[in-house]
Amino acid sequence: MNTIGHIFRLTTFGESHGTAIGGVIDGCPARLELDFDFIDNELRRRKTVQTETASQRQEPDRIEWLSGLLDGVTLGSPVAFMVRNEDAKPEDYEVLKDVYRPSHADFTYEQKYGLRDWRGGGRASARTTLPIVVAGAVAKQVMREKGVEIQAETVFMGDAEQAQREGDTVGGVVECRIMGLPAGLGEPMFGKFSAELAHAMFSLPAVKGFEIGDGFAMARMKGSEANDGFAVKNGKTIVATNHSGGIQGGITNGNDVVFRVAFKPIPSLAKPQQTVNRAGEACEIAISGRHDVCALPRAVVSVEALAALVTVDALMMANMQ
């Protein structure tokens, strides 16, 4: 399943060290004048070499727009794009092609398909978030016209510099806020707005946790502490507090939608680790090459992008009901 969305849909393709990576956006409204500078800036937010603890892979990330546009304006037909991998170094991974790297997708992909792309993790690489960011930038431009804004930030991150000195990695938490949403988005059962967000966020590499509003902390509250009461302001009924994170019954209530995403530490370590190879023999590996120490500095924009895709899709579905 390489497609997300019901009406505004993104299908992605490509591997970390393949020829190119890209996507096809179907359901994008016609007559949208794309802001290419904005899209390029969003890609810069997810680029490597931003910090000393980030991967030193230096990709120019030049977008080639293949279809769906005329003079920068969307036609209503599928918008296809790709970015060529110009700084791929698959030879860096050849020594690991027969080894199962701990907490990577090597073993599970091989169990599922009978083979795997060992060049930097292939389809399981964080490189696959690039088309998500491009499509998310398009979705954000659709939302501008509806007064909806999305903003994410890192609220916790381990000490990346210390971890790097120790040959280790760290994880952290990103919080995202969707502002300006109307009440009534989302479906009552399997299409809950919260469920769509969770599905999208767990599509990101390294994500291991998700919560809406007060989330897991609500399990320790009393109902009188966790409930969101109602009030009337300027003649309009509002939800007075936001423990629920802007979603009740799986449907938006008009408050800001607030959620958090937990990222595990990057599994590629310079520290020696015990594992086995394809022959079932025990071995030790220490992974060198170009790797992030923490996913978060580059993951924030990916969280925003997926939230934008989910939100635009929900807005379009609501207009059809």
Side-chain angles (χ1 to χ4, degrees):
M1 190 67 177
N2 297 290
T3 301
I4 185 170
H6 303 279
I7 299 175
F8 191 97
R9 298 183 299 275
L10 168 67
T11 300
T12 71
F13 62 85
E15 294 81 33
S16 178
H17 290 261
T19 301
I21 195 143
V24 178
I25 306 169
D26 198 6
C28 185
R31 301 185 301 278
L32 177 67
E33 186 174 352
L34 292 186
D35 183 341
F36 295 112
D37 289 338
F38 173 74
I39 297 172
D40 289 339
N41 186 64
E42 292 288 271
L43 276 188
R44 280 192 288 273
R45 293 176 63 196
R46 74 157 298 281
K47 277 180 70 69
T48 57
V49 301
Q50 295 188 55
T51 66
E52 291 184 1
T53 59
S55 167
Q56 296 305 297
R57 181 171 176 175
Q58 301 187 40
E59 292 284 359
D61 289 346
R62 288 183 284 263
I63 304 173
E64 298 179 36
W65 298 96
L66 306 176
S67 70
L69 298 171
L70 178 63
D71 297 327
V73 178
T74 59
L75 294 168
S77 53
V79 178
F81 61 91
M82 74 175 186
V83 172
R84 297 183 186 275
N85 293 324
E86 299 182 29
D87 191 30
K89 294 183 178 180
E91 62 274 10
D92 288 351
Y93 296 88
E94 192 163 1
V95 68
L96 300 171
K97 67 179 182 180
D98 293 319
V99 177
Y100 298 131
R101 296 171 297 170
S103 284
H104 277 275
D106 300 343
F107 177 77
T108 52
Y109 265 56
E110 196 162 291
Q111 293 300 302
K112 181 175 180 64
Y113 298 110
L115 78 169
R116 72 175 195 270
D117 186 346
W118 47 266
R119 304 168 302 170
R123 192 76 175 132
S125 168
R127 181 74 176 154
T128 59
T129 63
L130 186 149
I132 292 172
V133 171
V134 174
V138 175
K140 286 179 179 180
Q141 293 178 59
V142 176
M143 290 191 305
R144 284 179 189 170
E145 302 175 354
K146 302 180 183 297
V148 179
E149 183 180 352
I150 295 177
Q151 185 173 355
E153 62 179 347
T154 298
V155 293
F156 169 77
M157 189 175 81
D159 190 335
E161 292 183 1
Q162 177 67 26
Q164 186 178 51
R165 287 193 292 268
E166 297 172 352
D168 218 326
T169 60
V170 295
V173 178
V174 171
E175 181 175 279
C176 186
R177 185 176 294 267
I178 309 173
M179 298 164 283
L181 280 183
L185 294 184
E187 303 304 316
M189 187 54 68
F190 300 111
K192 295 177 188 289
F193 194 80
S194 47
E196 296 293 322
L197 282 174
H199 171 228
M201 297 305 147
F202 276 113
S203 301
L204 289 173
V207 167
K208 286 296 183 181
F210 176 84
E211 65 177 6
I212 294 274
D214 289 349
F216 284 97
M218 296 181 81
R220 301 182 182 276
M221 295 179 180
K222 295 177 181 178
S224 57
E225 299 170 317
N227 280 354
D228 289 319
F230 293 90
V232 175
K233 183 177 181 180
N234 299 325
K236 181 181 178 182
T237 299
I238 63 167
V239 184
T241 55
N242 201 20
H243 300 295
S244 299
I247 299 174
Q248 293 167 328
I251 299 172
T252 59
N253 63 17
N255 274 353
D256 290 352
V257 170
V258 182
F259 64 91
R260 283 166 293 281
V261 185
F263 288 80
K264 72 175 183 178
I266 298 291
S268 294
L269 310 182
K271 276 187 171 182
Q273 299 180 84
Q274 299 300 314
T275 187
V276 299
N277 58 26
R278 297 178 69 194
E281 300 165 335
C283 59
E284 183 180 89
I285 62 169
I287 302 175
S288 59
R290 305 172 297 176
H291 304 285
D292 292 319
V293 176
C294 182
L296 268 74
R298 300 169 54 209
V300 170
V301 68
S302 298
V303 170
E304 289 182 2
L306 282 169
L309 294 176
V310 169
T311 301
V312 166
D313 199 40
L315 287 166
M316 289 183 173
M317 292 178 69
N319 288 337
M320 295 185 66
Q321 295 176 347

PDB file of all heavy atoms in Angstrom, residues 106-135:
ATOM      1  N   ASP A 106      15.319  -4.842   7.668  1.00  0.00           N
ATOM      2  CA  ASP A 106      15.989  -5.861   6.856  1.00  0.00           C
ATOM      3  C   ASP A 106      15.302  -7.227   6.970  1.00  0.00           C
ATOM      4  O   ASP A 106      14.939  -7.846   5.965  1.00  0.00           O
ATOM      5  CB  ASP A 106      17.457  -6.015   7.291  1.00  0.00           C
ATOM      6  CG  ASP A 106      18.250  -4.731   7.151  1.00  0.00           C
ATOM      7  OD1 ASP A 106      17.797  -3.825   6.433  1.00  0.00           O
ATOM      8  OD2 ASP A 106      19.324  -4.648   7.764  1.00  0.00           O
ATOM      9  N   PHE A 107      15.152  -7.694   8.190  1.00  0.00           N
ATOM     10  CA  PHE A 107      14.597  -9.034   8.420  1.00  0.00           C
ATOM     11  C   PHE A 107      13.134  -9.109   7.999  1.00  0.00           C
ATOM     12  O   PHE A 107      12.722 -10.052   7.310  1.00  0.00           O
ATOM     13  CB  PHE A 107      14.741  -9.409   9.897  1.00  0.00           C
ATOM     14  CG  PHE A 107      14.129 -10.736  10.245  1.00  0.00           C
ATOM     15  CD1 PHE A 107      14.775 -11.928   9.917  1.00  0.00           C
ATOM     16  CD2 PHE A 107      12.912 -10.806  10.901  1.00  0.00           C
ATOM     17  CE1 PHE A 107      14.205 -13.153  10.233  1.00  0.00           C
ATOM     18  CE2 PHE A 107      12.335 -12.027  11.222  1.00  0.00           C
ATOM     19  CZ  PHE A 107      12.987 -13.210  10.888  1.00  0.00           C
ATOM     20  N   THR A 108      12.334  -8.124   8.382  1.00  0.00           N
ATOM     21  CA  THR A 108      10.905  -8.192   8.083  1.00  0.00           C
ATOM     22  C   THR A 108      10.623  -8.073   6.583  1.00  0.00           C
ATOM     23  O   THR A 108       9.740  -8.762   6.055  1.00  0.00           O
ATOM     24  CB  THR A 108      10.145  -7.095   8.849  1.00  0.00           C
ATOM     25  OG1 THR A 108      10.761  -5.818   8.604  1.00  0.00           O
ATOM     26  CG2 THR A 108      10.152  -7.375  10.345  1.00  0.00           C
ATOM     27  N   TYR A 109      11.351  -7.210   5.879  1.00  0.00           N
ATOM     28  CA  TYR A 109      11.165  -7.101   4.432  1.00  0.00           C
ATOM     29  C   TYR A 109      11.525  -8.424   3.749  1.00  0.00           C
ATOM     30  O   TYR A 109      10.825  -8.877   2.835  1.00  0.00           O
ATOM     31  CB  TYR A 109      12.047  -5.979   3.871  1.00  0.00           C
ATOM     32  CG  TYR A 109      11.341  -4.646   3.723  1.00  0.00           C
ATOM     33  CD1 TYR A 109      10.724  -4.048   4.825  1.00  0.00           C
ATOM     34  CD2 TYR A 109      11.286  -3.989   2.512  1.00  0.00           C
ATOM     35  CE1 TYR A 109      10.087  -2.820   4.709  1.00  0.00           C
ATOM     36  CE2 TYR A 109      10.654  -2.758   2.383  1.00  0.00           C
ATOM     37  CZ  TYR A 109      10.046  -2.180   3.492  1.00  0.00           C
ATOM     38  OH  TYR A 109       9.415  -0.976   3.370  1.00  0.00           O
ATOM     39  N   GLU A 110      12.585  -9.042   4.203  1.00  0.00           N
ATOM     40  CA  GLU A 110      13.003 -10.289   3.576  1.00  0.00           C
ATOM     41  C   GLU A 110      12.005 -11.412   3.851  1.00  0.00           C
ATOM     42  O   GLU A 110      11.750 -12.254   2.992  1.00  0.00           O
ATOM     43  CB  GLU A 110      14.397 -10.677   4.069  1.00  0.00           C
ATOM     44  CG  GLU A 110      15.063 -11.728   3.190  1.00  0.00           C
ATOM     45  CD  GLU A 110      16.560 -11.781   3.416  1.00  0.00           C
ATOM     46  OE1 GLU A 110      17.254 -10.811   3.045  1.00  0.00           O
ATOM     47  OE2 GLU A 110      17.022 -12.802   3.963  1.00  0.00           O
ATOM     48  N   GLN A 111      11.429 -11.403   5.045  1.00  0.00           N
ATOM     49  CA  GLN A 111      10.407 -12.394   5.360  1.00  0.00           C
ATOM     50  C   GLN A 111       9.162 -12.185   4.503  1.00  0.00           C
ATOM     51  O   GLN A 111       8.511 -13.138   4.085  1.00  0.00           O
ATOM     52  CB  GLN A 111      10.033 -12.314   6.848  1.00  0.00           C
ATOM     53  CG  GLN A 111      11.143 -12.737   7.789  1.00  0.00           C
ATOM     54  CD  GLN A 111      11.580 -14.171   7.557  1.00  0.00           C
ATOM     55  OE1 GLN A 111      10.777 -15.101   7.642  1.00  0.00           O
ATOM     56  NE2 GLN A 111      12.861 -14.353   7.243  1.00  0.00           N
ATOM     57  N   LYS A 112       8.825 -10.915   4.226  1.00  0.00           N
ATOM     58  CA  LYS A 112       7.626 -10.617   3.449  1.00  0.00           C
ATOM     59  C   LYS A 112       7.809 -10.868   1.957  1.00  0.00           C
ATOM     60  O   LYS A 112       6.945 -11.458   1.302  1.00  0.00           O
ATOM     61  CB  LYS A 112       7.213  -9.155   3.670  1.00  0.00           C
ATOM     62  CG  LYS A 112       5.949  -8.740   2.925  1.00  0.00           C
ATOM     63  CD  LYS A 112       5.539  -7.324   3.291  1.00  0.00           C
ATOM     64  CE  LYS A 112       4.276  -6.912   2.534  1.00  0.00           C
ATOM     65  NZ  LYS A 112       3.104  -7.726   2.907  1.00  0.00           N
ATOM     66  N   TYR A 113       8.950 -10.425   1.402  1.00  0.00           N
ATOM     67  CA  TYR A 113       9.138 -10.443  -0.048  1.00  0.00           C
ATOM     68  C   TYR A 113      10.122 -11.496  -0.547  1.00  0.00           C
ATOM     69  O   TYR A 113      10.206 -11.746  -1.749  1.00  0.00           O
ATOM     70  CB  TYR A 113       9.604  -9.068  -0.535  1.00  0.00           C
ATOM     71  CG  TYR A 113       8.609  -7.963  -0.267  1.00  0.00           C
ATOM     72  CD1 TYR A 113       8.880  -6.981   0.680  1.00  0.00           C
ATOM     73  CD2 TYR A 113       7.396  -7.895  -0.952  1.00  0.00           C
ATOM     74  CE1 TYR A 113       7.980  -5.958   0.937  1.00  0.00           C
ATOM     75  CE2 TYR A 113       6.486  -6.882  -0.707  1.00  0.00           C
ATOM     76  CZ  TYR A 113       6.781  -5.928   0.243  1.00  0.00           C
ATOM     77  OH  TYR A 113       5.884  -4.922   0.491  1.00  0.00           O
ATOM     78  N   GLY A 114      10.908 -12.068   0.353  1.00  0.00           N
ATOM     79  CA  GLY A 114      11.906 -13.042  -0.075  1.00  0.00           C
ATOM     80  C   GLY A 114      13.213 -12.405  -0.494  1.00  0.00           C
ATOM     81  O   GLY A 114      14.173 -13.100  -0.827  1.00  0.00           O
ATOM     82  N   LEU A 115      13.264 -11.080  -0.491  1.00  0.00           N
ATOM     83  CA  LEU A 115      14.481 -10.320  -0.779  1.00  0.00           C
ATOM     84  C   LEU A 115      14.291  -8.914  -0.243  1.00  0.00           C
ATOM     85  O   LEU A 115      13.205  -8.542   0.181  1.00  0.00           O
ATOM     86  CB  LEU A 115      14.790 -10.280  -2.275  1.00  0.00           C
ATOM     87  CG  LEU A 115      13.989  -9.303  -3.158  1.00  0.00           C
ATOM     88  CD1 LEU A 115      14.629  -9.213  -4.527  1.00  0.00           C
ATOM     89  CD2 LEU A 115      12.534  -9.715  -3.285  1.00  0.00           C
ATOM     90  N   ARG A 116      15.372  -8.141  -0.236  1.00  0.00           N
ATOM     91  CA  ARG A 116      15.259  -6.763   0.221  1.00  0.00           C
ATOM     92  C   ARG A 116      16.262  -5.903  -0.535  1.00  0.00           C
ATOM     93  O   ARG A 116      17.241  -6.404  -1.078  1.00  0.00           O
ATOM     94  CB  ARG A 116      15.526  -6.666   1.727  1.00  0.00           C
ATOM     95  CG  ARG A 116      16.985  -6.864   2.118  1.00  0.00           C
ATOM     96  CD  ARG A 116      17.188  -6.638   3.616  1.00  0.00           C
ATOM     97  NE  ARG A 116      18.576  -6.476   4.000  1.00  0.00           N
ATOM     98  CZ  ARG A 116      19.393  -7.454   4.357  1.00  0.00           C
ATOM     99  NH1 ARG A 116      18.946  -8.701   4.362  1.00  0.00           N
ATOM    100  NH2 ARG A 116      20.637  -7.212   4.701  1.00  0.00           N
ATOM    101  N   ASP A 117      15.976  -4.598  -0.561  1.00  0.00           N
ATOM    102  CA  ASP A 117      16.933  -3.641  -1.112  1.00  0.00           C
ATOM    103  C   ASP A 117      17.844  -3.228   0.036  1.00  0.00           C
ATOM    104  O   ASP A 117      17.452  -2.479   0.932  1.00  0.00           O
ATOM    105  CB  ASP A 117      16.188  -2.423  -1.667  1.00  0.00           C
ATOM    106  CG  ASP A 117      17.116  -1.449  -2.381  1.00  0.00           C
ATOM    107  OD1 ASP A 117      18.351  -1.580  -2.227  1.00  0.00           O
ATOM    108  OD2 ASP A 117      16.609  -0.543  -3.077  1.00  0.00           O
ATOM    109  N   TRP A 118      19.078  -3.724   0.015  1.00  0.00           N
ATOM    110  CA  TRP A 118      20.012  -3.462   1.108  1.00  0.00           C
ATOM    111  C   TRP A 118      20.700  -2.106   0.989  1.00  0.00           C
ATOM    112  O   TRP A 118      21.432  -1.694   1.878  1.00  0.00           O
ATOM    113  CB  TRP A 118      21.087  -4.563   1.165  1.00  0.00           C
ATOM    114  CG  TRP A 118      21.692  -4.873  -0.182  1.00  0.00           C
ATOM    115  CD1 TRP A 118      21.300  -5.851  -1.048  1.00  0.00           C
ATOM    116  CD2 TRP A 118      22.787  -4.199  -0.821  1.00  0.00           C
ATOM    117  NE1 TRP A 118      22.080  -5.828  -2.195  1.00  0.00           N
ATOM    118  CE2 TRP A 118      23.005  -4.830  -2.072  1.00  0.00           C
ATOM    119  CE3 TRP A 118      23.612  -3.135  -0.450  1.00  0.00           C
ATOM    120  CZ2 TRP A 118      24.012  -4.413  -2.955  1.00  0.00           C
ATOM    121  CZ3 TRP A 118      24.602  -2.721  -1.330  1.00  0.00           C
ATOM    122  CH2 TRP A 118      24.793  -3.361  -2.560  1.00  0.00           C
ATOM    123  N   ARG A 119      20.439  -1.384  -0.089  1.00  0.00           N
ATOM    124  CA  ARG A 119      21.096  -0.094  -0.322  1.00  0.00           C
ATOM    125  C   ARG A 119      20.439   1.002   0.536  1.00  0.00           C
ATOM    126  O   ARG A 119      19.538   1.693   0.094  1.00  0.00           O
ATOM    127  CB  ARG A 119      21.013   0.279  -1.792  1.00  0.00           C
ATOM    128  CG  ARG A 119      21.576  -0.762  -2.756  1.00  0.00           C
ATOM    129  CD  ARG A 119      21.178  -0.441  -4.181  1.00  0.00           C
ATOM    130  NE  ARG A 119      19.726  -0.376  -4.340  1.00  0.00           N
ATOM    131  CZ  ARG A 119      19.121   0.069  -5.432  1.00  0.00           C
ATOM    132  NH1 ARG A 119      19.839   0.508  -6.467  1.00  0.00           N
ATOM    133  NH2 ARG A 119      17.800   0.106  -5.492  1.00  0.00           N
ATOM    134  N   GLY A 120      20.901   1.122   1.761  1.00  0.00           N
ATOM    135  CA  GLY A 120      20.385   2.167   2.632  1.00  0.00           C
ATOM    136  C   GLY A 120      18.976   1.932   3.126  1.00  0.00           C
ATOM    137  O   GLY A 120      18.289   2.873   3.534  1.00  0.00           O
ATOM    138  N   GLY A 121      18.533   0.686   3.097  1.00  0.00           N
ATOM    139  CA  GLY A 121      17.190   0.383   3.576  1.00  0.00           C
ATOM    140  C   GLY A 121      16.133   0.435   2.497  1.00  0.00           C
ATOM    141  O   GLY A 121      14.974   0.086   2.727  1.00  0.00           O
ATOM    142  N   GLY A 122      16.495   0.889   1.291  1.00  0.00           N
ATOM    143  CA  GLY A 122      15.546   0.885   0.185  1.00  0.00           C
ATOM    144  C   GLY A 122      14.284   1.671   0.480  1.00  0.00           C
ATOM    145  O   GLY A 122      14.310   2.853   0.794  1.00  0.00           O
ATOM    146  N   ARG A 123      13.161   0.989   0.414  1.00  0.00           N
ATOM    147  CA  ARG A 123      11.854   1.612   0.600  1.00  0.00           C
ATOM    148  C   ARG A 123      11.597   1.986   2.064  1.00  0.00           C
ATOM    149  O   ARG A 123      10.732   2.814   2.346  1.00  0.00           O
ATOM    150  CB  ARG A 123      10.777   0.643   0.105  1.00  0.00           C
ATOM    151  CG  ARG A 123       9.407   1.248  -0.043  1.00  0.00           C
ATOM    152  CD  ARG A 123       9.290   2.107  -1.277  1.00  0.00           C
ATOM    153  NE  ARG A 123       7.931   2.589  -1.458  1.00  0.00           N
ATOM    154  CZ  ARG A 123       7.607   3.853  -1.724  1.00  0.00           C
ATOM    155  NH1 ARG A 123       8.548   4.753  -1.849  1.00  0.00           N
ATOM    156  NH2 ARG A 123       6.361   4.205  -1.872  1.00  0.00           N
ATOM    157  N   ALA A 124      12.340   1.374   2.993  1.00  0.00           N
ATOM    158  CA  ALA A 124      12.148   1.646   4.419  1.00  0.00           C
ATOM    159  C   ALA A 124      12.956   2.851   4.894  1.00  0.00           C
ATOM    160  O   ALA A 124      12.889   3.217   6.064  1.00  0.00           O
ATOM    161  CB  ALA A 124      12.536   0.412   5.234  1.00  0.00           C
ATOM    162  N   SER A 125      13.697   3.477   4.012  1.00  0.00           N
ATOM    163  CA  SER A 125      14.559   4.601   4.375  1.00  0.00           C
ATOM    164  C   SER A 125      13.752   5.876   4.633  1.00  0.00           C
ATOM    165  O   SER A 125      12.675   6.082   4.058  1.00  0.00           O
ATOM    166  CB  SER A 125      15.556   4.863   3.240  1.00  0.00           C
ATOM    167  OG  SER A 125      16.225   6.087   3.424  1.00  0.00           O
ATOM    168  N   ALA A 126      14.297   6.757   5.452  1.00  0.00           N
ATOM    169  CA  ALA A 126      13.686   8.070   5.672  1.00  0.00           C
ATOM    170  C   ALA A 126      13.688   8.918   4.393  1.00  0.00           C
ATOM    171  O   ALA A 126      12.977   9.923   4.317  1.00  0.00           O
ATOM    172  CB  ALA A 126      14.409   8.811   6.783  1.00  0.00           C
ATOM    173  N   ARG A 127      14.465   8.514   3.392  1.00  0.00           N
ATOM    174  CA  ARG A 127      14.463   9.210   2.104  1.00  0.00           C
ATOM    175  C   ARG A 127      13.063   9.194   1.490  1.00  0.00           C
ATOM    176  O   ARG A 127      12.699  10.094   0.721  1.00  0.00           O
ATOM    177  CB  ARG A 127      15.471   8.530   1.167  1.00  0.00           C
ATOM    178  CG  ARG A 127      15.613   9.153  -0.222  1.00  0.00           C
ATOM    179  CD  ARG A 127      16.366  10.448  -0.186  1.00  0.00           C
ATOM    180  NE  ARG A 127      16.594  11.004  -1.518  1.00  0.00           N
ATOM    181  CZ  ARG A 127      16.770  12.295  -1.759  1.00  0.00           C
ATOM    182  NH1 ARG A 127      16.755  13.162  -0.770  1.00  0.00           N
ATOM    183  NH2 ARG A 127      16.969  12.738  -2.978  1.00  0.00           N
ATOM    184  N   THR A 128      12.259   8.189   1.847  1.00  0.00           N
ATOM    185  CA  THR A 128      10.915   8.064   1.287  1.00  0.00           C
ATOM    186  C   THR A 128       9.966   9.129   1.813  1.00  0.00           C
ATOM    187  O   THR A 128       8.836   9.245   1.330  1.00  0.00           O
ATOM    188  CB  THR A 128      10.326   6.675   1.580  1.00  0.00           C
ATOM    189  OG1 THR A 128      10.273   6.471   2.999  1.00  0.00           O
ATOM    190  CG2 THR A 128      11.175   5.582   0.951  1.00  0.00           C
ATOM    191  N   THR A 129      10.390   9.929   2.798  1.00  0.00           N
ATOM    192  CA  THR A 129       9.529  11.011   3.273  1.00  0.00           C
ATOM    193  C   THR A 129       9.559  12.218   2.346  1.00  0.00           C
ATOM    194  O   THR A 129       8.732  13.119   2.473  1.00  0.00           O
ATOM    195  CB  THR A 129       9.930  11.468   4.695  1.00  0.00           C
ATOM    196  OG1 THR A 129      11.267  12.001   4.671  1.00  0.00           O
ATOM    197  CG2 THR A 129       9.863  10.304   5.674  1.00  0.00           C
ATOM    198  N   LEU A 130      10.502  12.248   1.401  1.00  0.00           N
ATOM    199  CA  LEU A 130      10.613  13.415   0.516  1.00  0.00           C
ATOM    200  C   LEU A 130       9.325  13.676  -0.275  1.00  0.00           C
ATOM    201  O   LEU A 130       8.817  14.799  -0.262  1.00  0.00           O
ATOM    202  CB  LEU A 130      11.810  13.256  -0.420  1.00  0.00           C
ATOM    203  CG  LEU A 130      12.137  14.461  -1.303  1.00  0.00           C
ATOM    204  CD1 LEU A 130      13.627  14.547  -1.579  1.00  0.00           C
ATOM    205  CD2 LEU A 130      11.384  14.411  -2.640  1.00  0.00           C
ATOM    206  N   PRO A 131       8.746  12.692  -0.976  1.00  0.00           N
ATOM    207  CA  PRO A 131       7.505  12.985  -1.703  1.00  0.00           C
ATOM    208  C   PRO A 131       6.348  13.346  -0.780  1.00  0.00           C
ATOM    209  O   PRO A 131       5.438  14.078  -1.185  1.00  0.00           O
ATOM    210  CB  PRO A 131       7.228  11.697  -2.486  1.00  0.00           C
ATOM    211  CG  PRO A 131       8.078  10.653  -1.853  1.00  0.00           C
ATOM    212  CD  PRO A 131       9.245  11.336  -1.276  1.00  0.00           C
ATOM    213  N   ILE A 132       6.377  12.863   0.458  1.00  0.00           N
ATOM    214  CA  ILE A 132       5.351  13.251   1.431  1.00  0.00           C
ATOM    215  C   ILE A 132       5.436  14.743   1.702  1.00  0.00           C
ATOM    216  O   ILE A 132       4.421  15.448   1.765  1.00  0.00           O
ATOM    217  CB  ILE A 132       5.517  12.448   2.737  1.00  0.00           C
ATOM    218  CG1 ILE A 132       5.180  10.973   2.506  1.00  0.00           C
ATOM    219  CG2 ILE A 132       4.668  13.035   3.859  1.00  0.00           C
ATOM    220  CD1 ILE A 132       5.499  10.073   3.685  1.00  0.00           C
ATOM    221  N   VAL A 133       6.664  15.252   1.850  1.00  0.00           N
ATOM    222  CA  VAL A 133       6.854  16.679   2.126  1.00  0.00           C
ATOM    223  C   VAL A 133       6.421  17.529   0.931  1.00  0.00           C
ATOM    224  O   VAL A 133       5.798  18.584   1.098  1.00  0.00           O
ATOM    225  CB  VAL A 133       8.319  16.959   2.507  1.00  0.00           C
ATOM    226  CG1 VAL A 133       8.588  18.456   2.593  1.00  0.00           C
ATOM    227  CG2 VAL A 133       8.653  16.295   3.841  1.00  0.00           C
ATOM    228  N   VAL A 134       6.724  17.068  -0.271  1.00  0.00           N
ATOM    229  CA  VAL A 134       6.297  17.808  -1.471  1.00  0.00           C
ATOM    230  C   VAL A 134       4.777  17.877  -1.538  1.00  0.00           C
ATOM    231  O   VAL A 134       4.188  18.954  -1.718  1.00  0.00           O
ATOM    232  CB  VAL A 134       6.865  17.159  -2.748  1.00  0.00           C
ATOM    233  CG1 VAL A 134       6.297  17.842  -3.994  1.00  0.00           C
ATOM    234  CG2 VAL A 134       8.384  17.237  -2.765  1.00  0.00           C
ATOM    235  N   ALA A 135       4.122  16.735  -1.396  1.00  0.00           N
ATOM    236  CA  ALA A 135       2.656  16.700  -1.462  1.00  0.00           C
ATOM    237  C   ALA A 135       2.042  17.480  -0.311  1.00  0.00           C
ATOM    238  O   ALA A 135       1.008  18.150  -0.470  1.00  0.00           O
ATOM    239  CB  ALA A 135       2.167  15.252  -1.448  1.00  0.00           C
TER     240      ALA A 135
END
